[in-house]
Amino acid sequence: MKTDDDAPLHLRLAGIIRLGLGGGRGPTDAYVFDPHRLALPSWAMALGDSGPAALLVTLDRHLDVVVPRRPEAVPDRSAGLRALDEHARWELDVRNYDHILAAMEAGLVGDALFIARTRPRGAFAGDTYVDTKGRSHRLVVVPTVDRASEAWSHPAPGDAVRDVLEDAERVLLDVDLDCFTSLSDADPTTVLPWPRAIIREFLLPEGCEPFWDAVLQRAVALTLAREPHHCGGLLASGELFRDAADVLFRELLRVEPP
């Protein structure tokens, strides 16, 4: 990756915290940030300038597949970390829903497996995205880890979870903290963070180990977006991060939480 000096790359990325995850299973690095669009430079740092594009496995409340305003303007990964970081901060939408297709345009992400429950207005509706360079990217969508696990272990006609995982050399595991929230039925503007037991039930349903083994043995990095404005505010999101990190790190990745 190109930088202006010899400082460690993660120290050049304001607002992105890099964590070492040695000793567990799965990725050895994690990147934590608030706005989800900062996943773009984090993925660039995790993957480097070369090698095959990665399969993205992302867990989110929203399906972040809105096409960037100017997809042809997304820098290629060969342009370097600074170009991708600046593009994420200044060109991608502040609503944080176009970074995944931007990563496909950049050549960082190939196919994507989405574990997401809602589709924002304007989201790309197809199951294949063809980028401006003519490359095709499969978009596989399931609503829960339980459904992804079932599609891995016992695929039904039309299920593609096993196909994209088996074709992947590298995986980027991505989590938006608002995956573990719901909107209040009484007041749709109120966000309800899930308790730890519900997070555990969602992330680690019965029979999920074969699916998670397939993901984690290929995973090169975890990215975690805190998105406090989608998680009930700073204090509520801090408590949710603590509970989610306990399940995600200690129980899924088998490392101590950050």
Side-chain angles (χ1 to χ4, degrees):
M1 277 293 168
K2 301 173 183 177
T3 58
D4 291 336
D5 56 33
D6 294 327
L9 294 180
H10 64 282
L11 298 181
R12 308 290 299 179
L13 302 180
I16 299 177
I17 302 168
R18 184 179 182 181
L19 304 171
L21 302 178
R25 65 170 182 164
T28 57
D29 289 301
Y31 303 84
V32 181
F33 39 81
D34 283 348
H36 210 161
R37 64 187 181 277
L38 291 185
L40 186 67
S42 301
W43 294 336
M45 185 159 60
L47 295 175
D49 291 331
S50 60
L55 169 69
L56 179 68
V57 177
T58 180
L59 291 84
D60 202 333
R61 192 175 83 209
H62 311 93
L63 190 62
D64 291 338
V65 287
V66 172
V67 178
R69 181 172 55 90
R70 294 193 301 138
E72 72 285 352
V74 179
D76 186 76
R77 63 192 292 191
S78 62
L81 180 61
R82 179 172 179 174
L84 287 162
D85 184 55
E86 289 184 352
H87 188 84
R89 295 175 194 270
W90 294 100
E91 296 294 332
L92 294 186
D93 200 292
V94 296
R95 287 167 287 189
N96 294 291
Y97 54 26
D98 58 356
H99 52 281
I100 293 177
L101 298 191
M104 293 178 175
E105 292 286 349
L108 294 166
V109 169
D111 299 326
L113 169 58
F114 299 88
I115 300 175
R117 309 193 305 277
T118 61
R119 182 182 293 271
R121 181 177 300 176
F124 181 78
D127 56 11
T128 301
Y129 175 70
V130 180
D131 66 29
T132 55
K133 297 179 178 65
R135 298 170 299 205
S136 295
H137 307 266
R138 290 173 290 180
L139 310 179
V140 181
V141 181
V142 293
T144 63
V145 174
D146 183 64
R147 181 67 189 91
S149 175
E150 179 68 18
W152 167 262
S153 297
H154 306 288
D159 283 343
V161 170
R162 179 179 285 272
D163 292 340
V164 292
L165 268 171
E166 288 186 335
D167 288 346
E169 293 185 35
R170 300 190 289 181
V171 166
L172 293 164
L173 177 59
D174 176 66
V175 179
D176 191 328
L177 192 60
D178 76 1
C179 179
F180 312 120
T181 66
S182 297
L183 298 180
S184 169
D185 290 338
D187 178 8
T189 64
T190 299
V191 174
L192 303 176
W194 293 356
R196 189 177 307 182
I198 301 301
I199 297 172
R200 180 179 296 110
E201 184 178 339
F202 182 86
L203 274 179
L204 302 171
E206 184 178 355
C208 70
E209 281 302 307
F211 167 72
W212 280 125
D213 285 343
V215 172
L216 295 178
Q217 70 184 4
R218 298 168 172 83
V220 296
L222 165 70
T223 49
L224 178 53
R226 293 182 293 199
E227 295 279 11
H229 56 294
H230 285 160
C231 298
L234 287 173
L235 294 179
S237 67
E239 294 179 4
L240 179 60
F241 179 82
R242 178 198 61 202
D243 289 340
D246 193 61
V247 178
L248 178 62
F249 288 91
R250 182 171 285 130
E251 299 188 41
L252 178 60
L253 300 182
R254 299 172 187 167
V255 297
E256 284 303 302

